[in-house]
Amino acid sequence: AVVSTQSTGDLESVTAYLKHAKEVEGYTIVGIEQATNSVPLQRFKFPTRSILVLGREKDGVPAPVLDLFDVCVEVPQTGVIRSLNVHVTGSIAVWEYTRQVLESGSGEMALQKGA
Protein backbone atom coordinates (compact mmCIF):
# COMPACT_ATOMS: atom_id res chain seq x y z
CA ALA A 1 0.00 0.00 0.00
CA VAL A 2 1.14 3.51 -0.72
CA VAL A 3 0.03 6.19 1.70
CA SER A 4 0.82 9.86 1.28
CA THR A 5 0.39 12.87 3.52
CA GLN A 6 -0.65 16.15 2.01
CA SER A 7 -2.42 17.72 5.00
CA THR A 8 -2.63 17.45 8.78
CA GLY A 9 -5.66 15.17 8.44
CA ASP A 10 -3.66 12.90 6.17
CA LEU A 11 -0.81 12.86 8.68
CA GLU A 12 -3.19 11.78 11.42
CA SER A 13 -4.57 8.94 9.29
CA VAL A 14 -1.04 7.80 8.34
CA THR A 15 0.09 7.72 11.98
CA ALA A 16 -3.07 5.83 12.95
CA TYR A 17 -2.47 3.33 10.13
CA LEU A 18 1.17 2.80 11.15
CA LYS A 19 0.25 2.39 14.83
CA HIS A 20 -2.35 -0.23 13.93
CA ALA A 21 0.02 -2.10 11.60
CA LYS A 22 2.73 -2.11 14.26
CA GLU A 23 0.68 -2.90 17.37
CA VAL A 24 -2.08 -5.12 15.98
CA GLU A 25 -0.64 -6.72 12.85
CA GLY A 26 2.98 -7.07 14.00
CA TYR A 27 4.71 -5.04 11.30
CA THR A 28 8.13 -3.45 11.79
CA ILE A 29 8.17 0.21 10.79
CA VAL A 30 11.38 0.85 8.86
CA GLY A 31 12.17 4.48 8.16
CA ILE A 32 14.42 5.20 5.23
CA GLU A 33 16.00 8.33 6.66
CA GLN A 34 19.40 9.80 7.38
CA ALA A 35 19.66 10.08 11.15
CA THR A 36 22.38 9.75 13.77
CA ASN A 37 21.18 6.24 14.63
CA SER A 38 20.57 5.02 11.06
CA VAL A 39 21.73 1.55 10.07
CA PRO A 40 23.44 1.27 6.67
CA LEU A 41 21.12 -0.54 4.24
CA GLN A 42 23.67 -3.26 3.43
CA ARG A 43 23.84 -4.23 7.14
CA PHE A 44 20.11 -4.28 7.81
CA LYS A 45 18.10 -7.51 7.75
CA PHE A 46 14.50 -6.69 6.88
CA PRO A 47 11.84 -8.53 8.85
CA THR A 48 9.37 -10.16 6.44
CA ARG A 49 6.56 -7.99 7.80
CA SER A 50 8.11 -4.58 7.16
CA ILE A 51 6.59 -1.27 6.23
CA LEU A 52 9.02 1.10 4.55
CA VAL A 53 8.43 4.79 5.22
CA LEU A 54 10.06 7.55 3.19
CA GLY A 55 9.83 11.28 3.68
CA ARG A 56 9.20 14.11 1.30
CA GLU A 57 11.89 15.71 -0.80
CA LYS A 58 13.72 18.35 1.30
CA ASP A 59 11.34 18.07 4.32
CA GLY A 60 11.97 14.45 5.24
CA VAL A 61 9.64 12.49 7.53
CA PRO A 62 7.26 14.43 9.82
CA ALA A 63 8.14 14.15 13.54
CA PRO A 64 4.96 12.23 14.55
CA VAL A 65 5.84 9.54 11.99
CA LEU A 66 9.53 9.46 13.00
CA ASP A 67 8.43 8.60 16.53
CA LEU A 68 6.81 5.39 15.23
CA PHE A 69 9.94 4.00 13.56
CA ASP A 70 11.35 0.79 14.95
CA VAL A 71 14.56 1.47 13.04
CA CYS A 72 16.05 4.03 10.65
CA VAL A 73 17.92 2.73 7.63
CA GLU A 74 19.94 4.80 5.19
CA VAL A 75 21.44 4.25 1.77
CA PRO A 76 25.19 4.86 2.25
CA GLN A 77 26.81 7.40 -0.02
CA THR A 78 30.27 8.70 -0.71
CA GLY A 79 31.46 11.96 -2.12
CA VAL A 80 29.77 15.34 -1.90
CA ILE A 81 26.20 14.14 -2.50
CA ARG A 82 24.26 14.22 0.78
CA SER A 83 21.06 12.60 -0.37
CA LEU A 84 19.31 10.82 -3.20
CA ASN A 85 15.89 11.67 -4.59
CA VAL A 86 13.17 9.98 -2.56
CA HIS A 87 12.03 7.82 -5.51
CA VAL A 88 15.58 6.58 -6.09
CA THR A 89 16.05 5.83 -2.39
CA GLY A 90 12.69 4.03 -2.27
CA SER A 91 13.60 1.93 -5.29
CA ILE A 92 16.91 0.90 -3.76
CA ALA A 93 15.26 0.01 -0.43
CA VAL A 94 12.46 -2.01 -2.06
CA TRP A 95 15.02 -3.87 -4.18
CA GLU A 96 17.10 -4.72 -1.10
CA TYR A 97 13.99 -5.99 0.71
CA THR A 98 13.07 -8.09 -2.35
CA ARG A 99 16.62 -9.43 -2.68
CA GLN A 100 16.61 -10.55 0.93
CA VAL A 101 13.21 -12.24 0.60
CA LEU A 102 14.30 -14.07 -2.56
CA GLU A 103 17.60 -15.18 -1.04
CA SER A 104 15.81 -16.50 2.03
CA GLY A 105 13.61 -18.67 -0.17
CA SER A 106 10.40 -17.31 1.35
CA GLY A 107 9.59 -15.32 -1.77
CA GLU A 108 10.05 -18.09 -4.32
CA MET A 109 6.63 -19.64 -3.80
CA ALA A 110 4.94 -16.29 -4.42
CA LEU A 111 6.94 -15.87 -7.64
CA GLN A 112 6.09 -19.39 -8.83
CA LYS A 113 2.38 -18.81 -8.20
CA GLY A 114 2.52 -15.53 -10.10
CA ALA A 115 1.73 -13.37 -7.06
Side-chain angles (χ1 to χ4, degrees), residues 13-31 47 49-53 63-72:
S13 67
V14 167
T15 55
Y17 171 80
L18 291 174
K19 284 180 186 177
H20 176 82
K22 181 177 183 171
E23 296 167 3
V24 177
E25 298 180 33
Y27 280 89
T28 299
I29 310 301
V30 180
R49 295 177 66 85
S50 292
I51 294 177
L52 277 63
V53 178
V65 176
L66 274 171
D67 292 340
L68 296 172
F69 288 177
D70 293 302
V71 63
C72 277

Side-chain angles (χ1 to χ4, degrees), residues 2 4 6 15-16 19 27 32 39 45 52-53 66-67 70 73 76 79 81 93 95 99 105 112:
V2 175
S4 176
Q6 300 299 324
T15 55
K19 284 180 186 177
Y27 280 89
I32 310 299
V39 177
K45 173 69 174 128
L52 277 63
V53 178
L66 274 171
D67 292 340
D70 293 302
V73 175
I81 304 293
W95 166 246
R99 185 192 67 74
Q112 290 173 2

Side-chain angles (χ1 to χ4, degrees), residues 31-35 38-39 53-55 59-61 66 69 72-74 89:
I32 310 299
E33 181 77 12
Q34 291 177 327
S38 293
V39 177
V53 178
L54 293 98
D59 297 333
V61 177
L66 274 171
F69 288 177
C72 277
V73 175
E74 69 180 11
T89 302

